[in-house]
Amino acid sequence: VFAGLSDSEKKNLLLLFVLFIGAAAFWSGFDQSASSLSIFARDYTDLSVAGFIIPIGWLQFANPIFVVIFAPVFAGIWAHLAKRNLIPNLPVKFALGLVLMALSFVVMLFAVDVALEFSPVGMQWLIITYLLQTWGELTLSPIGLAAFSRYSPKKYVGQMFGLWFTASAIGGVLAGLLGGDALVEGLDSISPVFGFMVQYYVIIAIALIIVSFLIGKTRGGKEG
């Protein structure tokens, strides 16, 4: 794996591997929109708008709409922070994306509690969840792709881009494994799944912040 690489390239490769783990974890939650979240929308969400029952698939439009709205906002935020030399480094940006994903499932835990008492619940719970997940995507996805382009060893650029997209594939597999346990026994089985996801996102985010601290010490500064 490290054949013919300089010390700097080896450090960059380790950084990319850490980001790979964070990306796979993120996509495992993001892809719940097509599994457990869609099931929740179908069985426990009021989809009526002015007497019209919207198809479940229409909720999937929330993410691309939010991307179009907020992508310029996030680009402006990073540019503003860069001008002030406050841009966080890569692990911190990934950690922020994972924290936003964790918050989205915190919202769903509240939605499940409400649904246990008053079902069906309003669509606002899912809309807020998709908004937080989109913010996480805008924090993590374009940054990660740029990182794999910037820090990959020149002789392994193609393989490293393949690794980045492999993270998305692994996330899809994990999404199926995690989502498969949700709603098996109704609402009672969904809270433990979402609660576990909140915990493991927070743990990985903390690990990334620790990595960020170590990178800051070894490189003597921030790299966005």
Side-chain angles (χ1 to χ4, degrees):
V1 173
F2 295 117
L5 298 181
S6 65
D7 290 341
S8 176
E9 289 175 326
K10 291 178 182 178
K11 291 179 182 178
N12 288 341
L13 201 60
L14 289 173
L15 168 64
L16 295 180
F17 179 73
V18 171
L19 299 184
F20 167 83
I21 294 175
F26 177 86
W27 296 120
S28 70
F30 189 84
D31 288 344
Q32 295 297 319
S33 62
S35 56
S36 61
L37 295 182
S38 288
I39 296 173
F40 184 87
R42 181 193 66 191
D43 296 339
Y44 303 102
T45 303
D46 181 7
L47 299 176
S48 62
V49 177
F52 173 71
I53 305 299
I54 68 170
I56 297 172
W58 285 19
L59 291 174
Q60 302 301 312
F61 287 116
N63 172 253
I65 291 173
F66 287 146
V67 167
V68 171
I69 294 174
F70 290 103
V73 176
F74 274 76
I77 291 174
W78 299 137
H80 177 73
L81 292 176
K83 289 180 180 179
R84 295 177 175 270
N85 198 30
L86 296 174
I87 192 77
N89 61 21
L90 290 169
V92 169
K93 290 178 181 178
F94 266 60
L96 178 58
L98 293 174
V99 168
L100 288 167
M101 181 60 71
L103 289 175
S104 75
F105 284 104
V106 171
V107 171
M108 286 307 303
L109 286 174
F110 281 107
V112 171
D113 288 341
V114 173
L116 284 169
E117 296 186 22
F118 310 101
S119 181
V121 301
M123 283 186 292
Q124 69 271 16
W125 295 102
L126 287 169
I127 297 300
I128 295 172
T129 296
Y130 290 141
L131 176 61
L132 290 169
Q133 291 184 356
T134 300
W135 286 352
E137 179 188 13
L138 291 172
T139 303
L140 181 145
S141 182
I143 301 301
L145 190 60
F148 272 70
S149 174
R150 179 178 179 182
Y151 294 109
S152 294
K154 299 304 180 184
K155 63 177 70 176
Y156 298 130
V157 172
Q159 292 93 325
M160 297 307 295
F161 271 114
L163 185 65
W164 169 253
F165 290 107
T166 299
S168 177
I170 292 176
V173 173
L174 293 174
L177 294 174
L178 293 169
D181 291 331
L183 297 172
V184 173
E185 301 176 359
L187 285 172
D188 290 332
S189 63
I190 195 172
S191 290
V193 174
F194 286 173
F196 167 77
M197 297 181 76
V198 171
Q199 293 175 16
Y200 100 95
Y201 282 126
V202 170
I203 290 172
I204 297 175
I206 292 173
L208 286 171
I209 292 174
I210 293 173
V211 170
S212 167
F213 175 75
L214 296 176
I215 289 175
K217 291 187 68 175
T218 57
R219 298 194 178 193
K222 295 183 178 180
E223 288 192 50

